[in-house]
Amino acid sequence: MSQALAAVQASIAAAESRAGRPIGSVTLVAVSKTQPWEHVAPVLAAGQKVFGENRVQEAMERWGGRREGLELRLIGPLQTNKTREAVGFFDVIETVDRDRLARVLADEIQRAGKAPRLYVQVNTGEEPQKAGIVPAEADDFVAACRKTYGLTIEGLMCIPPVDADPAPHFAGLRAIAARNGVEKLSMGMSDDFETAIAEGATSVRVGSAIFGRRDYALEPKV
Ligand SMILES: *Cc1c(COP(=O)(O)O)cnc(C)c1O
């Protein structure tokens, strides 16, 4: 696992340099969801500090006792009834995608006196089964997050359709970010993170290329 981590780090550095971007400018989010601990431990021991998880409960159980010095990101859909726990636990929530969630997040942030960094998830492929705001509503949604709910939106996130060329989706996300003054772009996974870096990703979410194939029986249904 730590060899795979090193290989992914090297590929990221190569993609950064091909894109004329500074080495180290892209954050690697190691997606540890559903992985057994014996796959995660060597990656943690190798110095990886940023991890992505899909589910609030699973993340809290896994990372609750060893949170110190790590950055934990929620990259799966957030139910409003888990918002309090998510605000308390995560450093970054990448899946803000609807008004009701934005409103509940704003309330919980106020209550907790602590704000995770927030990303808006955009459903660039407009897939009915996928979470995220559709591109045509993204500008209004980002504006509402800011003005109506008083949230700071650090970035945008997308998951392109599995069978599509991801590059236009990444470029589309970058365009939405640029016209809304949003700085960060979370895009790119095991199969396409180099393309994402060429298109301006500031963080990539890589799971199976580091940890090996997941047990699909444990995968959340999207
Ligand atoms: C599982 C997951 C990933 C990682 O996928 P890999 O293909 O294993 O790299 C990235 N982003 C999200 C939102 C995920 O759910």
Side-chain angles (χ1 to χ4, degrees), residues 89-212:
F89 189 72
F90 286 98
D91 302 291
V92 181
I93 296 174
E94 298 204 2
T95 51
V96 183
D97 66 351
R98 58 200 189 278
D99 274 275
R100 186 163 139 68
L101 178 58
R103 176 155 23 91
V104 175
L105 273 169
D107 290 348
E108 289 300 339
I109 286 168
Q110 188 87 34
R111 203 191 63 89
K114 150 184 192 296
R117 288 141 54 202
L118 301 175
Y119 285 54
V120 166
Q121 182 176 356
V122 182
N123 185 358
T124 57
E126 308 193 29
E127 297 173 278
Q129 82 285 8
K130 215 167 250 176
I133 194 100
V134 295
E137 291 168 12
D139 295 359
D140 284 349
F141 182 64
V142 170
C145 284
R146 289 167 166 164
K147 289 194 205 108
T148 311
Y149 306 114
L151 299 173
T152 299
I153 300 302
E154 176 176 292
L156 302 181
M157 180 273 232
C158 75
I159 312 169
V162 279
D163 48 4
D165 173 7
H169 294 268
F170 297 151
L173 194 71
R174 189 183 63 217
I176 295 169
R179 68 174 180 256
N180 288 285
V182 174
E183 273 185 29
K184 303 279 173 105
L185 291 170
S186 168
M187 54 191 200
M189 314 190 347
S190 289
D191 290 337
D192 56 17
F193 67 85
E194 288 153 305
T195 306
I197 291 168
E199 295 293 343
T202 58
S203 59
V204 293
R205 310 177 308 269
V206 180
S208 42
I210 297 173
F211 298 107

Side-chain angles (χ1 to χ4, degrees), residues 70-81:
L70 301 181
E71 176 178 305
L72 298 180
R73 297 187 173 212
L74 180 66
I75 61 170
L78 178 56
Q79 294 168 278
T80 46
N81 65 5

